[in-house]
Amino acid sequence: MRNVSMVTMFILLGIPHTEGLETMLFVLFLSFYIFTLLGNLLILLAIVSSTRLHTPMYFFLCKLSVCDIFSPSVSSPKMLFYLSGNSQTISYAGCVCQLFFYHFLGCTECFLYTVMAYDRFVAICYPLRYTIIMSHRVCAILAMGTSLFGCTQATFLTTLTFQFPYCGPNDVDYYFCDIPVMLKLACADTSSLEMVGFVSVGLMPLSCFLLILTSYSCIVRSILQIRSTEG
């Protein structure tokens, strides 16, 4: 990534139209952040401590909890820092990292939901072959694949955003660095690449949604075909 920007830092203006509510927002978001961390840590502890939960479904759920721990940690600490009355500035590198990890974790979760839907599809539609299809090796490959695709998507979007020169102003009209607000600050025409980014951001979750919908449609059809009470 080539940094030709004259801007060395940005100023996060926070959530729009919330002037004077900093203390209330600090308490509110701090509570949400703590409960999110505690909830996901309890899930991880429950899965790790119980051997009965060492199955593919809970393996993917474990990774989802890890992503849910790191995902709010991308923007929440900095937001809580300036809501408590400290500096609202963020370095250029910090802004790049925020945007990358926000999309990396978001895309990884999206792919992970798709993999979890596939896991349920195999478990319900092919129960006798489930342990063979969803072996430890396959689960590891699928888990690494979600991170790999998430990293690829995030790298593409981050490179797309920060290839432009940023020469001022440097006021980010949001509480963290994201693509739409950053492109508004670029000292160049971003209209064509805005469309590319929009298609890229929209196509990925749409594809995952269609795959999830297909998996659960097959699950519902398989269940409706069961005639016996035992089945």
Side-chain angles (χ1 to χ4, degrees):
M1 189 182 303
R2 188 165 55 96
N3 180 4
V4 295
S5 174
M6 295 169 56
V7 173
T8 58
M9 62 179 60
F10 296 95
I11 300 174
L12 299 174
L13 299 182
I15 303 173
H17 313 299
T18 57
E19 293 79 5
L21 302 175
E22 287 80 7
T23 302
M24 185 185 72
L25 290 175
F26 175 81
V27 174
L28 182 65
F29 287 120
L30 179 61
S31 302
F32 286 159
Y33 184 51
I34 291 174
F35 283 128
T36 299
L37 295 182
L38 288 177
N40 285 287
L41 285 173
L42 287 174
I43 291 174
L44 287 173
L45 181 63
I47 294 173
V48 172
S49 60
S50 177
T51 55
R52 292 182 301 173
L53 301 182
H54 294 176
T55 62
M57 180 178 71
Y58 290 102
F59 170 71
F60 294 128
L61 182 61
C62 192
K63 182 172 182 181
L64 183 63
S65 294
V66 172
C67 289
D68 284 337
I69 289 173
F70 285 105
S71 187
S73 300
V74 172
S75 58
S76 294
K78 182 62 181 178
M79 179 176 63
L80 293 171
F81 182 74
Y82 67 70
L83 283 176
S84 61
N86 294 288
S87 173
Q88 295 179 250
T89 60
I90 182 172
S91 66
Y92 186 94
C95 201
V96 173
C97 289
Q98 267 198 345
L99 193 146
F100 172 80
F101 284 107
Y102 172 75
H103 286 280
F104 167 63
L105 293 166
C107 293
T108 300
E109 285 195 26
C110 196
F111 291 127
L112 197 55
Y113 285 127
T114 308
V115 169
M116 292 172 75
Y118 172 73
D119 171 69
R120 292 300 85 201
F121 162 74
V122 175
I124 294 173
C125 298
Y126 301 97
L128 300 180
R129 298 170 56 194
Y130 176 70
T131 54
I132 299 175
I133 297 175
M134 297 300 293
S135 63
H136 293 300
R137 181 173 177 272
V138 171
C139 290
I141 291 173
L142 289 174
M144 288 188 294
T146 59
S147 297
L148 178 61
F149 285 121
C151 183
T152 302
Q153 176 81 347
T155 301
F156 170 72
L157 293 173
T158 305
T159 304
L160 187 73
T161 303
F162 288 97
Q163 68 172 320
F164 297 105
Y166 288 87
C167 50
N170 64 343
D171 294 335
V172 179
D173 193 19
Y174 207 40
Y175 65 95
F176 75 101
C177 299
D178 198 9
I179 296 174
V181 291
M182 295 309 299
L183 290 181
K184 291 179 181 177
L185 303 179
C187 301
D189 181 19
T190 62
S191 55
S192 58
L193 290 179
E194 281 179 13
M195 183 59 65
V196 174
F198 176 78
V199 172
S200 177
V201 171
L203 191 61
M204 185 273 297
L206 178 62
S207 301
C208 291
F209 171 74
L210 292 176
L211 290 172
I212 293 171
L213 188 63
T214 301
S215 295
Y216 281 101
S217 297
C218 293
I219 289 172
V220 171
R221 186 181 64 181
S222 179
I223 292 173
L224 292 177
Q225 289 176 348
I226 299 174
R227 300 302 179 187
S228 64
T229 305
E230 292 80 3

